[in-house]
Amino acid sequence: RGLPGRAGVGRAPVRGSPRGRPPARRCPQRDPHGAPLPYTLGVRGNPYLRGPRLAPAVTSPALFVLRGIPYLSKHRADRVKRLGDFLNRESFDLALLEEVWSEQDFQYLRQKLLPAYPAAHYFRRTWLFSGIIGSGLCVFSKHPIQEFTQHVFTLNGYPYMIHHGDWFCGKAVGLLVLRLGGLVLNAYVTHLHAEYNRQKDIYLAHRVAQAWELAQFIHHTSKKADVVLLCGDLNLHPKDLGFRLLKEWTGLQDAYLETRDFKGPEEGCTMVPQNCYVNRQELEQFPLGIRIDYVLYKAVSGLYIFCKTLRTTTGHEPHGGSPLSDHEALMATLCVRHSPPQHNPSPTHAERSPLISVLREAWTELDQGMAQGRWWATIAGYVIGLGLLLLALLCALAAGGEIREVAVLLWTPSVGLVLGAGAFYLFHVQEAKGLCRARAELQHVLGRAREAQDLGSESQPAGLLGQQEVDRAEEQ
Protein backbone atom coordinates (compact mmCIF):
# COMPACT_ATOMS: atom_id res chain seq x y z
CA ARG A 1 0.00 0.00 0.00
CA GLY A 2 1.30 3.36 -1.04
CA LEU A 3 4.40 1.82 -2.67
CA PRO A 4 5.57 3.30 -5.98
CA GLY A 5 4.39 1.38 -9.02
CA ARG A 6 1.40 -0.16 -7.28
CA ALA A 7 -2.19 0.94 -7.15
CA GLY A 8 -3.13 1.68 -3.61
CA VAL A 9 -3.78 4.24 -0.95
CA GLY A 10 -1.07 5.91 1.04
CA ARG A 11 -1.30 6.20 4.83
CA ALA A 12 -2.97 9.35 6.05
CA PRO A 13 -1.28 11.12 8.99
CA VAL A 14 -2.87 10.38 12.35
CA ARG A 15 -3.89 13.50 14.20
CA GLY A 16 -2.97 13.88 17.81
CA SER A 17 0.34 11.97 17.68
CA PRO A 18 3.01 13.23 20.07
CA ARG A 19 5.68 15.29 18.41
CA GLY A 20 8.96 13.55 17.78
CA ARG A 21 7.37 10.13 17.79
CA PRO A 22 6.10 8.28 14.77
CA PRO A 23 2.32 7.97 14.64
CA ALA A 24 0.88 4.67 15.70
CA ARG A 25 -0.05 2.36 12.85
CA ARG A 26 -3.71 2.18 12.16
CA CYS A 27 -5.60 0.37 9.46
CA PRO A 28 -7.27 2.76 7.06
CA GLN A 29 -11.02 2.97 7.23
CA ARG A 30 -12.66 0.50 4.92
CA ASP A 31 -15.92 0.50 3.06
CA PRO A 32 -18.41 -2.42 2.93
CA HIS A 33 -16.37 -3.96 0.10
CA GLY A 34 -13.29 -4.11 2.29
CA ALA A 35 -11.31 -1.55 0.27
CA PRO A 36 -9.62 1.51 1.81
CA LEU A 37 -11.30 4.89 1.41
CA PRO A 38 -11.14 6.82 -0.74
CA TYR A 39 -10.84 4.52 -3.76
CA THR A 40 -7.75 5.07 -5.87
CA LEU A 41 -7.36 2.65 -8.71
CA GLY A 42 -4.88 2.40 -11.48
CA VAL A 43 -1.41 1.50 -12.60
CA ARG A 44 1.88 2.85 -11.30
CA GLY A 45 0.12 4.67 -8.47
CA ASN A 46 -2.16 6.53 -10.86
CA PRO A 47 -5.32 7.53 -8.93
CA TYR A 48 -7.43 6.69 -11.94
CA LEU A 49 -8.80 3.57 -13.50
CA ARG A 50 -6.63 3.96 -16.64
CA GLY A 51 -8.16 2.32 -19.34
CA PRO A 52 -10.76 0.08 -20.07
CA ARG A 53 -10.09 1.04 -23.67
CA LEU A 54 -11.51 -0.09 -26.96
CA ALA A 55 -8.59 -0.84 -29.18
CA PRO A 56 -8.87 -1.20 -32.94
CA ALA A 57 -10.16 -4.65 -33.64
CA VAL A 58 -7.95 -6.36 -36.07
CA THR A 59 -9.58 -9.18 -37.89
CA SER A 60 -13.03 -9.42 -39.31
CA PRO A 61 -15.56 -10.22 -42.05
CA ALA A 62 -17.01 -7.20 -43.65
CA LEU A 63 -18.32 -5.05 -40.96
CA PHE A 64 -15.63 -3.65 -39.08
CA VAL A 65 -12.92 -2.31 -37.02
CA LEU A 66 -10.14 -3.95 -38.74
CA ARG A 67 -11.58 -6.11 -41.39
CA GLY A 68 -10.02 -9.46 -40.61
CA ILE A 69 -11.81 -11.90 -42.86
CA PRO A 70 -9.35 -14.64 -43.84
CA TYR A 71 -8.52 -14.57 -47.57
CA LEU A 72 -10.75 -11.52 -48.15
CA SER A 73 -9.57 -8.64 -45.97
CA LYS A 74 -6.80 -6.45 -47.34
CA HIS A 75 -3.38 -6.55 -45.64
CA ARG A 76 -4.82 -8.63 -42.80
CA ALA A 77 -1.55 -10.20 -41.62
CA ASP A 78 0.27 -6.87 -41.62
CA ARG A 79 -2.53 -5.13 -39.74
CA VAL A 80 -2.69 -7.88 -37.14
CA LYS A 81 1.05 -7.56 -36.55
CA ARG A 82 0.89 -3.78 -36.27
CA LEU A 83 -2.09 -4.01 -33.93
CA GLY A 84 -0.04 -6.18 -31.58
CA ASP A 85 2.80 -3.65 -31.65
CA PHE A 86 0.33 -0.82 -31.02
CA LEU A 87 -1.24 -2.54 -27.98
CA ASN A 88 2.18 -3.31 -26.51
CA ARG A 89 3.27 0.30 -26.89
CA GLU A 90 0.11 1.77 -25.40
CA SER A 91 -0.12 -0.73 -22.54
CA PHE A 92 -3.82 -0.37 -21.74
CA ASP A 93 -5.48 -1.93 -18.73
CA LEU A 94 -8.11 -3.57 -20.91
CA ALA A 95 -8.27 -3.98 -24.68
CA LEU A 96 -11.52 -5.12 -26.30
CA LEU A 97 -11.34 -6.19 -29.93
CA GLU A 98 -13.96 -7.00 -32.54
CA GLU A 99 -14.10 -8.75 -35.88
CA VAL A 100 -11.18 -10.99 -35.09
CA TRP A 101 -12.77 -13.69 -37.21
CA SER A 102 -9.75 -15.97 -37.40
CA GLU A 103 -8.78 -17.78 -34.22
CA GLN A 104 -5.24 -18.06 -35.60
CA ASP A 105 -5.01 -14.27 -35.48
CA PHE A 106 -6.16 -14.34 -31.86
CA GLN A 107 -3.53 -16.95 -30.96
CA TYR A 108 -0.86 -14.84 -32.67
CA LEU A 109 -1.93 -11.77 -30.67
CA ARG A 110 -2.17 -13.90 -27.51
CA GLN A 111 1.49 -14.88 -27.74
CA LYS A 112 2.63 -11.41 -28.79
CA LEU A 113 0.76 -9.65 -25.98
CA LEU A 114 1.30 -12.23 -23.24
CA PRO A 115 3.90 -10.24 -21.25
CA ALA A 116 1.79 -7.05 -21.23
CA TYR A 117 -1.66 -8.67 -21.12
CA PRO A 118 -1.45 -11.96 -19.19
CA ALA A 119 -5.23 -12.52 -19.29
CA ALA A 120 -7.11 -13.00 -22.55
CA HIS A 121 -10.24 -14.67 -23.88
CA TYR A 122 -11.72 -15.38 -27.31
CA PHE A 123 -15.49 -15.71 -27.57
CA ARG A 124 -15.95 -18.69 -29.85
CA ARG A 125 -18.90 -19.70 -31.98
CA THR A 126 -21.73 -21.48 -30.22
CA TRP A 127 -24.38 -22.33 -32.83
CA LEU A 128 -24.18 -24.97 -35.55
CA PHE A 129 -25.35 -22.76 -38.41
CA SER A 130 -25.99 -19.17 -37.33
CA GLY A 131 -22.70 -18.06 -35.85
CA ILE A 132 -20.67 -20.77 -37.53
CA ILE A 133 -17.86 -18.26 -38.17
CA GLY A 134 -17.92 -16.89 -34.63
CA SER A 135 -18.61 -13.56 -32.98
CA GLY A 136 -15.12 -12.17 -33.66
CA LEU A 137 -14.95 -10.77 -30.11
CA CYS A 138 -11.88 -11.08 -27.90
CA VAL A 139 -10.32 -9.29 -24.95
CA PHE A 140 -6.86 -8.75 -23.49
CA SER A 141 -6.44 -7.65 -19.88
CA LYS A 142 -3.66 -6.76 -17.50
CA HIS A 143 -5.85 -7.90 -14.62
CA PRO A 144 -7.03 -11.46 -13.89
CA ILE A 145 -10.40 -12.34 -15.37
CA GLN A 146 -12.67 -13.62 -12.61
CA GLU A 147 -15.55 -14.80 -14.79
CA PHE A 148 -16.65 -14.64 -18.41
CA THR A 149 -19.64 -15.63 -20.48
CA GLN A 150 -21.35 -14.66 -23.71
CA HIS A 151 -24.85 -14.32 -25.10
CA VAL A 152 -25.63 -14.83 -28.79
CA PHE A 153 -28.46 -12.63 -30.01
CA THR A 154 -31.65 -14.42 -30.99
CA LEU A 155 -31.97 -12.60 -34.32
CA ASN A 156 -28.92 -12.15 -36.54
CA GLY A 157 -30.20 -11.26 -39.99
CA TYR A 158 -31.20 -13.63 -42.78
CA PRO A 159 -29.31 -16.77 -43.87
CA TYR A 160 -30.20 -16.26 -47.54
CA MET A 161 -28.47 -12.83 -47.52
CA ILE A 162 -25.13 -14.58 -47.94
CA HIS A 163 -23.35 -11.49 -49.25
CA HIS A 164 -24.02 -9.69 -45.96
CA GLY A 165 -22.84 -12.53 -43.76
CA ASP A 166 -24.18 -11.36 -40.39
CA TRP A 167 -26.22 -14.52 -39.87
CA PHE A 168 -23.12 -16.68 -40.30
CA CYS A 169 -21.10 -14.56 -37.87
CA GLY A 170 -23.60 -14.78 -35.03
CA LYS A 171 -23.48 -11.34 -33.41
CA ALA A 172 -23.16 -11.56 -29.62
CA VAL A 173 -22.18 -9.82 -26.40
CA GLY A 174 -19.30 -11.01 -24.24
CA LEU A 175 -19.04 -10.35 -20.49
CA LEU A 176 -15.91 -10.18 -18.34
CA VAL A 177 -15.89 -9.76 -14.58
CA LEU A 178 -12.75 -8.13 -13.16
CA ARG A 179 -11.76 -7.02 -9.66
CA LEU A 180 -9.85 -3.78 -9.47
CA GLY A 181 -8.81 -2.42 -6.09
CA GLY A 182 -11.83 -3.89 -4.34
CA LEU A 183 -14.27 -2.89 -7.07
CA VAL A 184 -16.18 -5.32 -9.27
CA LEU A 185 -16.04 -4.28 -12.92
CA ASN A 186 -18.38 -5.81 -15.49
CA ALA A 187 -16.91 -5.21 -18.95
CA TYR A 188 -19.08 -5.96 -21.97
CA VAL A 189 -17.90 -6.13 -25.57
CA THR A 190 -20.44 -6.45 -28.37
CA HIS A 191 -21.08 -6.13 -32.09
CA LEU A 192 -24.59 -5.57 -33.45
CA HIS A 193 -25.99 -6.22 -36.92
CA ALA A 194 -24.68 -3.95 -39.66
CA GLU A 195 -26.74 -1.32 -41.47
CA TYR A 196 -26.47 -1.69 -45.24
CA ASN A 197 -29.13 0.72 -46.47
CA ARG A 198 -30.31 3.53 -44.22
CA GLN A 199 -33.27 4.42 -46.45
CA LYS A 200 -34.58 0.85 -46.81
CA ASP A 201 -33.24 -0.88 -43.72
CA ILE A 202 -34.59 -4.44 -43.76
CA TYR A 203 -32.62 -5.22 -40.58
CA LEU A 204 -33.99 -2.40 -38.42
CA ALA A 205 -36.26 -4.65 -36.34
CA HIS A 206 -33.38 -7.08 -35.80
CA ARG A 207 -31.06 -4.32 -34.57
CA VAL A 208 -33.73 -2.95 -32.23
CA ALA A 209 -34.30 -6.47 -30.87
CA GLN A 210 -30.53 -6.91 -30.41
CA ALA A 211 -30.28 -3.56 -28.61
CA TRP A 212 -33.09 -4.65 -26.27
CA GLU A 213 -31.47 -8.05 -25.65
CA LEU A 214 -28.18 -6.30 -24.94
CA ALA A 215 -29.85 -3.88 -22.52
CA GLN A 216 -31.64 -6.74 -20.76
CA PHE A 217 -28.43 -8.79 -20.56
CA ILE A 218 -26.59 -5.87 -18.95
CA HIS A 219 -29.54 -5.11 -16.66
CA HIS A 220 -29.72 -8.67 -15.30
CA THR A 221 -25.98 -9.47 -15.09
CA SER A 222 -24.68 -6.21 -13.60
CA LYS A 223 -26.62 -6.15 -10.33
CA LYS A 224 -23.53 -7.11 -8.30
CA ALA A 225 -21.14 -4.87 -10.22
CA ASP A 226 -19.75 -1.58 -8.94
CA VAL A 227 -18.78 -0.32 -12.40
CA VAL A 228 -20.31 -1.26 -15.76
CA LEU A 229 -18.42 -0.74 -19.01
CA LEU A 230 -19.77 -1.40 -22.51
CA CYS A 231 -17.56 -1.11 -25.60
CA GLY A 232 -18.49 -2.08 -29.09
CA ASP A 233 -19.52 -1.45 -32.64
CA LEU A 234 -23.25 -0.94 -32.17
CA ASN A 235 -23.88 0.00 -35.83
CA LEU A 236 -26.26 2.62 -34.44
CA HIS A 237 -26.09 6.38 -34.83
CA PRO A 238 -26.45 8.41 -31.60
CA LYS A 239 -30.08 9.32 -32.35
CA ASP A 240 -31.15 5.89 -33.62
CA LEU A 241 -33.93 4.08 -31.82
CA GLY A 242 -31.77 1.15 -30.71
CA PHE A 243 -29.14 3.39 -29.13
CA ARG A 244 -31.70 5.51 -27.29
CA LEU A 245 -33.40 2.34 -26.03
CA LEU A 246 -30.08 0.97 -24.75
CA LYS A 247 -29.16 4.17 -22.92
CA GLU A 248 -32.59 4.83 -21.41
CA TRP A 249 -33.02 1.31 -20.06
CA THR A 250 -29.50 0.76 -18.70
CA GLY A 251 -28.63 4.33 -17.63
CA LEU A 252 -25.22 4.12 -19.33
CA GLN A 253 -23.33 7.34 -20.10
CA ASP A 254 -21.68 8.09 -23.44
CA ALA A 255 -17.96 8.74 -23.00
CA TYR A 256 -17.86 11.10 -25.99
CA LEU A 257 -20.59 13.32 -24.52
CA GLU A 258 -19.22 13.18 -20.96
CA THR A 259 -15.47 13.40 -21.48
CA ARG A 260 -13.50 16.43 -20.34
CA ASP A 261 -10.85 16.03 -23.02
CA PHE A 262 -11.57 14.65 -26.50
CA LYS A 263 -9.03 14.26 -29.28
CA GLY A 264 -10.19 12.85 -32.58
CA PRO A 265 -12.30 13.50 -35.68
CA GLU A 266 -15.03 16.11 -35.61
CA GLU A 267 -18.25 14.99 -33.88
CA GLY A 268 -16.43 11.90 -32.60
CA CYS A 269 -16.87 10.00 -35.87
CA THR A 270 -15.47 6.48 -35.87
CA MET A 271 -15.80 5.92 -39.63
CA VAL A 272 -14.28 8.78 -41.60
CA PRO A 273 -13.78 9.26 -45.36
CA GLN A 274 -10.04 9.87 -44.84
CA ASN A 275 -9.63 6.18 -43.98
CA CYS A 276 -8.44 4.27 -47.06
CA TYR A 277 -10.39 1.14 -46.04
CA VAL A 278 -13.74 2.96 -45.89
CA ASN A 279 -16.15 2.78 -48.81
CA ARG A 280 -16.76 6.47 -49.47
CA GLN A 281 -20.02 5.75 -51.27
CA GLU A 282 -21.48 4.60 -47.96
CA LEU A 283 -20.69 8.00 -46.44
CA GLU A 284 -22.11 10.20 -49.20
CA GLN A 285 -24.82 11.51 -46.85
CA PHE A 286 -22.29 12.04 -44.05
CA PRO A 287 -19.33 14.10 -45.30
CA LEU A 288 -17.72 14.18 -41.84
CA GLY A 289 -18.26 10.47 -41.22
CA ILE A 290 -20.45 8.55 -38.78
CA ARG A 291 -20.20 7.60 -35.11
CA ILE A 292 -21.25 3.99 -34.52
CA ASP A 293 -18.57 2.76 -32.06
CA TYR A 294 -19.00 3.62 -28.40
CA VAL A 295 -17.55 3.52 -24.91
CA LEU A 296 -20.42 3.57 -22.40
CA TYR A 297 -20.18 3.32 -18.62
CA LYS A 298 -21.89 3.83 -15.28
CA ALA A 299 -21.24 3.23 -11.57
CA VAL A 300 -23.46 2.36 -8.63
CA SER A 301 -24.55 4.88 -6.04
CA GLY A 302 -21.62 5.72 -3.76
CA LEU A 303 -19.12 5.80 -6.62
CA TYR A 304 -18.39 8.64 -9.00
CA ILE A 305 -17.15 7.78 -12.48
CA PHE A 306 -16.22 10.09 -15.31
CA CYS A 307 -14.25 9.97 -18.53
CA LYS A 308 -11.09 12.01 -18.14
CA THR A 309 -9.87 11.63 -21.73
CA LEU A 310 -11.15 10.03 -24.91
CA ARG A 311 -8.96 9.63 -27.97
CA THR A 312 -9.67 8.16 -31.37
CA THR A 313 -7.46 7.59 -34.37
CA THR A 314 -8.01 9.89 -37.34
CA GLY A 315 -7.89 7.72 -40.43
CA HIS A 316 -4.38 6.37 -39.90
CA GLU A 317 -2.40 4.40 -37.33
CA PRO A 318 -1.47 6.65 -34.36
CA HIS A 319 2.26 6.08 -34.79
CA GLY A 320 2.19 6.47 -38.55
CA GLY A 321 1.37 4.15 -41.39
CA SER A 322 -1.85 2.90 -42.90
CA PRO A 323 -4.98 2.43 -40.76
CA LEU A 324 -5.42 -0.66 -38.61
CA SER A 325 -9.07 -0.93 -39.67
CA ASP A 326 -11.91 0.79 -41.46
CA HIS A 327 -13.17 1.83 -38.00
CA GLU A 328 -11.25 4.21 -35.79
CA ALA A 329 -9.95 3.02 -32.44
CA LEU A 330 -11.35 4.42 -29.20
CA MET A 331 -9.09 4.89 -26.19
CA ALA A 332 -10.56 6.15 -22.92
CA THR A 333 -9.30 6.98 -19.45
CA LEU A 334 -12.01 6.39 -16.87
CA CYS A 335 -11.73 7.72 -13.35
CA VAL A 336 -13.56 6.08 -10.46
CA ARG A 337 -13.76 7.75 -7.07
CA HIS A 338 -15.66 7.17 -3.89
CA SER A 339 -18.48 9.57 -3.09
CA PRO A 340 -20.97 9.61 -0.22
CA PRO A 341 -24.15 7.65 -0.97
CA GLN A 342 -26.87 9.94 -2.16
CA HIS A 343 -30.59 9.47 -1.87
CA ASN A 344 -32.05 8.74 -5.28
CA PRO A 345 -35.44 10.48 -5.49
CA SER A 346 -38.22 8.92 -7.50
CA PRO A 347 -38.05 9.90 -11.16
CA THR A 348 -40.37 12.75 -12.05
CA HIS A 349 -42.94 12.64 -14.80
CA ALA A 350 -40.55 14.48 -17.13
CA GLU A 351 -37.73 12.04 -16.38
CA ARG A 352 -39.91 9.00 -17.05
CA SER A 353 -41.31 10.36 -20.30
CA PRO A 354 -38.20 9.66 -22.46
CA LEU A 355 -38.14 6.03 -21.29
CA ILE A 356 -41.85 5.53 -22.00
CA SER A 357 -41.51 7.24 -25.38
CA VAL A 358 -38.60 5.11 -26.52
CA LEU A 359 -40.28 1.94 -25.25
CA ARG A 360 -43.34 2.78 -27.34
CA GLU A 361 -41.20 3.38 -30.43
CA ALA A 362 -39.36 0.09 -29.95
CA TRP A 363 -42.63 -1.80 -29.39
CA THR A 364 -44.06 -0.38 -32.63
CA GLU A 365 -40.93 -1.27 -34.62
CA LEU A 366 -40.87 -4.84 -33.28
CA ASP A 367 -44.60 -5.20 -33.99
CA GLN A 368 -44.04 -4.18 -37.61
CA GLY A 369 -41.10 -6.55 -37.93
CA MET A 370 -43.16 -9.39 -36.47
CA ALA A 371 -45.98 -8.73 -38.95
CA GLN A 372 -43.44 -8.74 -41.80
CA GLY A 373 -41.96 -12.03 -40.62
CA ARG A 374 -45.39 -13.64 -40.42
CA TRP A 375 -46.25 -12.36 -43.90
CA TRP A 376 -43.13 -13.99 -45.38
CA ALA A 377 -43.89 -17.20 -43.49
CA THR A 378 -47.41 -17.20 -44.99
CA ILE A 379 -46.03 -16.72 -48.51
CA ALA A 380 -43.60 -19.59 -47.92
CA GLY A 381 -46.49 -21.76 -46.72
CA TYR A 382 -48.39 -21.15 -49.97
CA VAL A 383 -45.28 -22.03 -51.98
CA ILE A 384 -44.89 -25.26 -50.01
CA GLY A 385 -48.51 -26.17 -50.74
CA LEU A 386 -48.12 -25.48 -54.46
CA GLY A 387 -44.90 -27.45 -54.54
CA LEU A 388 -46.51 -30.45 -52.91
CA LEU A 389 -49.38 -30.31 -55.42
CA LEU A 390 -46.85 -30.16 -58.25
CA LEU A 391 -45.02 -33.18 -56.85
CA ALA A 392 -48.27 -35.11 -56.57
CA LEU A 393 -49.10 -34.24 -60.18
CA LEU A 394 -45.67 -35.31 -61.37
CA CYS A 395 -45.99 -38.62 -59.53
CA ALA A 396 -49.34 -39.24 -61.18
CA LEU A 397 -47.96 -38.44 -64.64
CA ALA A 398 -44.92 -40.65 -64.11
CA ALA A 399 -47.08 -43.54 -62.89
CA GLY A 400 -49.43 -43.22 -65.86
CA GLY A 401 -46.59 -43.29 -68.34
CA GLU A 402 -47.61 -39.97 -69.92
CA ILE A 403 -44.73 -37.58 -70.59
CA ARG A 404 -42.75 -39.64 -68.10
CA GLU A 405 -39.42 -38.13 -69.11
CA VAL A 406 -40.69 -34.61 -68.48
CA ALA A 407 -42.07 -35.61 -65.08
CA VAL A 408 -38.75 -37.11 -64.05
CA LEU A 409 -36.89 -33.98 -65.16
CA LEU A 410 -39.22 -31.71 -63.16
CA TRP A 411 -39.07 -33.89 -60.05
CA THR A 412 -35.70 -32.67 -58.75
CA PRO A 413 -36.36 -28.89 -59.04
CA SER A 414 -39.80 -29.41 -57.49
CA VAL A 415 -38.28 -31.17 -54.49
CA GLY A 416 -35.72 -28.38 -54.20
CA LEU A 417 -38.50 -25.80 -54.32
CA VAL A 418 -40.40 -27.50 -51.50
CA LEU A 419 -37.30 -27.90 -49.33
CA GLY A 420 -36.18 -24.31 -49.93
CA ALA A 421 -39.64 -22.94 -49.17
CA GLY A 422 -39.75 -25.12 -46.05
CA ALA A 423 -36.46 -23.70 -44.78
CA PHE A 424 -37.67 -20.19 -45.62
CA TYR A 425 -40.91 -20.84 -43.72
CA LEU A 426 -39.16 -22.22 -40.62
CA PHE A 427 -36.71 -19.33 -40.50
CA HIS A 428 -39.36 -16.61 -40.70
CA VAL A 429 -41.53 -18.40 -38.14
CA GLN A 430 -38.50 -18.39 -35.82
CA GLU A 431 -37.93 -14.69 -36.63
CA ALA A 432 -41.55 -13.81 -35.82
CA LYS A 433 -41.34 -15.72 -32.52
CA GLY A 434 -38.10 -13.97 -31.55
CA LEU A 435 -39.59 -10.55 -32.27
CA CYS A 436 -42.78 -11.56 -30.44
CA ARG A 437 -40.78 -12.47 -27.35
CA ALA A 438 -38.89 -9.17 -27.36
CA ARG A 439 -42.15 -7.28 -27.94
CA ALA A 440 -43.79 -9.06 -24.98
CA GLU A 441 -40.90 -8.05 -22.70
CA LEU A 442 -41.14 -4.47 -23.90
CA GLN A 443 -44.90 -4.45 -23.40
CA HIS A 444 -44.51 -5.67 -19.83
CA VAL A 445 -41.90 -3.02 -19.00
CA LEU A 446 -43.96 -0.35 -20.73
CA GLY A 447 -46.99 -1.36 -18.66
CA ARG A 448 -45.01 -1.05 -15.43
CA ALA A 449 -43.67 2.34 -16.49
CA ARG A 450 -47.17 3.59 -17.24
CA GLU A 451 -48.44 2.35 -13.89
CA ALA A 452 -45.59 4.12 -12.13
CA GLN A 453 -46.35 7.28 -14.05
CA ASP A 454 -50.08 7.16 -13.32
CA LEU A 455 -49.84 6.17 -9.66
CA GLY A 456 -46.75 8.21 -8.84
CA SER A 457 -45.21 5.10 -7.30
CA GLU A 458 -41.79 5.47 -5.75
CA SER A 459 -40.67 1.85 -5.70
CA GLN A 460 -41.62 0.85 -9.24
CA PRO A 461 -39.77 3.62 -11.09
CA ALA A 462 -36.69 2.93 -9.01
CA GLY A 463 -36.89 -0.69 -10.07
CA LEU A 464 -37.31 0.32 -13.68
CA LEU A 465 -34.28 2.56 -13.79
CA GLY A 466 -31.83 0.46 -11.83
CA GLN A 467 -33.02 -1.15 -8.61
CA GLN A 468 -29.53 -2.51 -8.05
CA GLU A 469 -28.19 1.02 -7.49
CA VAL A 470 -30.84 1.78 -4.87
CA ASP A 471 -30.16 -1.48 -3.06
CA ARG A 472 -26.41 -0.82 -3.04
CA ALA A 473 -26.94 2.69 -1.69
CA GLU A 474 -29.09 1.33 1.16
CA GLU A 475 -26.43 -1.24 2.02
CA GLN A 476 -23.75 1.45 2.17
Side-chain angles (χ1 to χ4, degrees):
R1 295 174 187 162
L3 294 178
R6 293 185 59 185
V9 179
R11 302 187 186 92
V14 181
R15 296 179 181 178
S17 298
R19 292 187 177 181
R21 297 180 60 186
R25 284 193 172 187
R26 296 184 183 180
C27 295
Q29 183 181 1
R30 294 178 178 271
D31 77 332
H33 298 286
L37 297 179
Y39 288 113
T40 53
L41 304 176
V43 183
R44 306 184 193 88
N46 186 352
Y48 301 113
L49 175 60
R50 279 190 75 246
R53 307 185 180 192
L54 178 62
V58 172
T59 20
S60 105
L63 298 169
F64 162 102
V65 166
L66 193 156
R67 286 192 179 285
I69 309 175
Y71 312 112
L72 296 178
S73 298
K74 297 180 180 179
H75 315 124
R76 180 174 63 91
D78 175 65
R79 288 186 291 119
V80 171
K81 178 181 179 299
R82 289 191 293 114
L83 175 64
D85 296 335
F86 173 74
L87 292 177
N88 275 326
R89 281 195 300 267
E90 293 292 331
S91 188
F92 301 116
D93 287 321
L94 185 63
L96 304 103
L97 279 61
E98 301 172 19
E99 297 194 14
V100 183
W101 305 110
S102 169
E103 191 164 350
Q104 292 181 349
D105 291 338
F106 168 76
Q107 295 298 340
Y108 171 81
L109 289 172
R110 181 78 179 91
Q111 295 300 320
K112 190 180 186 72
L113 301 176
L114 188 59
Y117 303 88
H121 181 69
Y122 185 76
F123 294 96
R124 293 169 174 81
R125 65 176 183 261
T126 56
W127 292 10
L128 179 60
F129 298 109
S130 178
I132 190 171
I133 297 177
S135 65
L137 305 174
C138 62
V139 293
F140 297 90
S141 173
K142 280 187 174 181
H143 310 278
I145 299 174
Q146 304 296 323
E147 302 175 38
F148 60 81
T149 188
Q150 68 173 318
H151 171 72
V152 180
F153 297 124
T154 303
L155 299 174
N156 272 306
Y158 303 113
Y160 48 83
M161 303 294 281
I162 300 176
H163 58 295
H164 288 166
D166 294 73
W167 189 81
F168 299 95
C169 299
K171 300 303 175 64
V173 52
L175 164 63
L176 300 174
V177 179
L178 307 174
R179 288 188 178 273
L180 303 176
L183 294 179
V184 177
L185 168 68
N186 276 21
Y188 300 85
V189 56
T190 190
H191 190 183
L192 303 191
H193 198 293
E195 179 186 76
Y196 296 96
N197 189 326
R198 194 161 180 82
Q199 285 69 39
K200 298 180 180 179
D201 189 0
I202 62 175
Y203 300 111
L204 179 57
H206 285 215
R207 265 202 316 285
V208 172
Q210 287 182 348
W212 174 249
E213 275 191 66
L214 174 60
Q216 284 285 73
F217 184 74
I218 294 173
H219 178 72
H220 291 292
T221 58
S222 63
K223 293 183 178 180
K224 295 184 178 180
D226 299 298
V227 178
V228 176
L229 173 71
L230 170 63
C231 298
D233 175 8
L234 302 183
N235 280 308
L236 296 168
H237 293 231
K239 295 183 180 180
D240 284 357
L241 172 59
F243 186 69
R244 289 186 286 116
L245 177 64
L246 175 65
K247 283 190 65 178
E248 289 293 337
W249 181 240
T250 60
L252 292 169
Q253 302 176 64
D254 188 347
Y256 171 71
L257 299 178
E258 303 294 333
T259 186
R260 304 179 180 184
D261 180 17
F262 173 73
K263 295 180 181 179
E266 190 173 351
E267 298 184 2
C269 296
T270 57
M271 286 191 72
V272 294
Q274 294 82 3
N275 191 308
C276 63
Y277 292 116
V278 171
N279 184 355
R280 289 175 173 79
Q281 293 181 351
E282 298 177 356
L283 299 179
E284 286 181 348
Q285 299 180 355
F286 308 97
L288 296 178
I290 57 177
R291 185 164 76 98
I292 57 177
D293 304 276
Y294 299 89
V295 174
L296 307 173
Y297 58 85
K298 72 174 182 177
V300 297
S301 178
L303 292 177
Y304 173 61
I305 182 171
F306 64 94
C307 182
K308 183 183 179 184
T309 63
L310 178 66
R311 295 187 294 127
T312 70
T313 52
T314 55
H316 54 80
E317 200 261 329
H319 300 281
S322 61
L324 296 174
S325 165
D326 57 339
H327 289 228
E328 303 305 319
L330 284 83
M331 296 154 281
T333 300
L334 302 181
C335 307
V336 182
R337 292 176 180 172
H338 184 73
S339 64
Q342 297 179 356
H343 173 67
N344 293 329
S346 299
T348 63
H349 174 79
E351 291 172 337
R352 283 194 294 265
S353 294
L355 174 63
I356 294 176
S357 176
V358 75
L359 288 173
R360 285 174 178 167
E361 287 185 60
W363 187 93
T364 302
E365 186 59 45
L366 294 182
D367 186 65
Q368 293 176 355
M370 187 178 66
Q372 184 81 358
R374 287 176 174 173
W375 185 83
W376 281 114
T378 302
I379 296 298
Y382 287 137
V383 173
I384 293 172
L386 291 175
L388 292 175
L389 288 176
L390 179 60
L391 286 175
L393 178 61
L394 292 175
C395 289
L397 291 175
E402 301 176 4
I403 58 173
R404 183 171 184 176
E405 292 78 6
V406 176
V408 171
L409 289 175
L410 293 177
W411 174 267
T412 300
S414 300
V415 171
L417 176 65
V418 171
L419 293 178
F424 194 85
Y425 172 82
L426 292 175
F427 172 78
H428 281 286
V429 167
Q430 182 266 342
E431 176 194 26
K433 289 184 177 180
L435 291 172
C436 183
R437 186 190 72 175
R439 190 191 67 160
E441 293 177 0
L442 276 169
Q443 187 169 2
H444 176 72
V445 172
L446 182 58
R448 290 184 59 202
R450 284 171 174 168
E451 289 177 6
Q453 186 179 32
D454 295 339
L455 301 176
S457 171
E458 296 184 0
S459 59
Q460 289 179 349
L464 282 170
L465 299 176
Q467 182 63 45
Q468 66 270 29
E469 297 185 6
V470 178
D471 294 342
R472 187 64 57 83
E474 292 176 354
E475 292 176 4
Q476 292 179 350

